[in-house]
Amino acid sequence: MSERLQVGDVAPAFTLPDADGKDVSLSDYQGRKVIVYFYPAALTPGCTKQACDFTDNLDVLATAGYDVIGISPDKPEKLAKFREKENLKVTLLADPEKTTTEAYAAYGEKKNYGKTYMGVIRSTIVVDEEGKVERALYNVRATGHVAKIIKDLGI
């Protein structure tokens, strides 16, 4: 498990396939601010709520200069289904090996109903135009999270 990212850290580089199998890299966003969020699984209630919230607020975020990337361990085919079913507009990336998820410290020990297990920790990392961490939020809630980010970023 990686150390949690801190403000000012260089965001770990990545290249992952999107829902169409096309490679997307963090470096593709050089010069733009990017909200990179990690979620456990496509097509689940909490993750759907979060992805829909980001999609619903995409214009507001884009106007303020932010792009949004969602990363999960799902395969591109499942992400494509998720995108179509929910009419999502955010970029969804597949990280089945969890290498990027681990590099961002968004994978680790979780507790649920008294059980401890390893899994994706719902996290959001805001990366500035130069590829540095502007904000690192871990163990975020699916509901209300996007509104909080917008407020925190002063958008």
Side-chain angles (χ1 to χ4, degrees):
M1 283 185 329
S2 301
E3 285 287 312
R4 287 191 170 180
L5 296 175
Q6 304 294 322
V7 172
D9 287 352
V10 173
F14 61 79
T15 300
L16 296 168
D18 68 8
D20 299 314
K22 190 176 116 257
D23 279 352
V24 174
S25 300
L26 181 61
S27 59
D28 297 343
Y29 294 87
Q30 190 72 30
R32 290 204 39 95
K33 296 178 183 179
V34 190
I35 295 170
V36 182
Y37 78 96
F38 294 87
Y39 62 99
L43 300 167
T44 58
C47 298
T48 297
K49 173 80 178 113
Q50 187 178 23
C52 288
D53 273 358
F54 271 118
T55 293
D56 293 346
N57 288 286
L58 208 52
D59 288 345
V60 171
L61 292 164
T63 300
Y66 291 90
D67 292 314
V68 179
I69 298 172
I71 299 178
S72 76
D74 299 304
K75 294 200 172 354
E77 304 78 41
K78 187 172 179 189
L79 296 179
K81 266 189 212 151
F82 188 33
R83 180 185 62 197
E84 304 315 314
K85 181 175 188 275
E86 302 299 338
N87 200 21
L88 301 174
K89 303 287 182 238
V90 297
T91 300
L92 300 174
L93 301 183
D95 185 21
E97 307 296 318
K98 301 179 197 74
T99 47
T100 299
T101 306
E102 287 178 4
Y104 278 75
Y107 186 83
E109 199 172 90
K110 295 172 70 169
K111 285 183 173 50
N112 198 11
Y113 299 112
K115 289 194 184 329
T116 302
Y117 59 97
M118 298 299 283
V120 175
I121 298 163
R122 196 179 301 278
S123 308
T124 301
I125 310 299
V126 180
V127 181
D128 71 14
E129 302 90 337
E130 284 145 32
K132 291 211 165 99
V133 175
E134 187 178 307
R135 289 176 192 271
L137 309 162
Y138 292 94
N139 294 311
V140 301
R141 295 199 171 284
T143 307
H145 177 59
V146 176
K148 183 178 176 350
I149 288 174
I150 290 171
K151 184 173 175 271
D152 288 354
L153 293 174
I155 299 171

